[in-house]
């Protein structure tokens, strides 16, 4: 069974966060929180570039820029632990 999960990726270092999110809404909340801590208070819109979902925000100087954290979608395969092999 394939499951869709979401990670946050840093746009400058391309480092992926260890924590993953099961829903896109959860990833968006985490993205908004992390970007707000970095000073991106006002979100203008969301954009998708190279399979990453960014927030366009207003920075301290009043310019519209891409915020630091982006959402990346990934697929993982889940193993079935309820089958006959698990009963041993």
């Amino acid at each position: 069974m394939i499951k869709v999960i979401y990670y946050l990726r840093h746009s400058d270092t391309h480092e992926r966060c260890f924590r993953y999110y099961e829903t896109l809404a959860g990833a968006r909340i985490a993205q908004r929180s992390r970007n707000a801590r970095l000073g991106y208070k006002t979100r203008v819109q969301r954009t998708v570039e190279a399979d990453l979902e960014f927030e366009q925000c207003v920075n301290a100087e009043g310019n519209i820029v891409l915020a630091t954290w982006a959402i990346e979608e990934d697929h993982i395969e889940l193993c079935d632990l309820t089958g006959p092999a698990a009963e041993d």
Side-chain angles (χ1 to χ4, degrees), residues 32-43 55 57-63 65 67-69:
R32 182 74 194 116
S33 175
R34 285 178 183 241
N35 285 332
R37 279 186 259 152
L38 293 175
Y40 301 106
K41 300 292 183 189
T42 306
R43 180 171 46 107
E55 288 183 323
C57 298
V58 177
N59 64 5
E61 290 84 34
N63 301 324
V65 295
T68 304
W69 291 98

Side-chain angles (χ1 to χ4, degrees), residues 7-88:
Y7 286 98
L8 294 183
R9 182 173 293 277
H10 196 275
S11 62
D12 296 331
T13 63
H14 303 289
E15 185 176 331
R16 191 160 84 170
C17 287
F18 182 72
R19 181 181 167 102
Y20 69 89
Y21 302 90
E22 294 183 4
T23 64
L24 182 57
R28 285 180 173 169
I29 291 168
Q31 177 192 37
R32 182 74 194 116
S33 175
R34 285 178 183 241
N35 285 332
R37 279 186 259 152
L38 293 175
Y40 301 106
K41 300 292 183 189
T42 306
R43 180 171 46 107
V44 177
Q45 67 179 6
R46 293 189 177 276
T47 60
V48 176
E49 293 183 12
D51 295 331
L52 297 173
E53 183 178 310
F54 288 93
E55 288 183 323
Q56 283 188 335
C57 298
V58 177
N59 64 5
E61 290 84 34
N63 301 324
I64 296 177
V65 295
L66 288 179
T68 304
W69 291 98
I71 298 173
E72 177 182 22
E73 182 179 302
D74 199 2
H75 305 273
I76 59 172
E77 187 171 336
L78 300 176
C79 59
D80 184 17
L81 298 177
T82 60
E87 295 174 1
D88 294 334

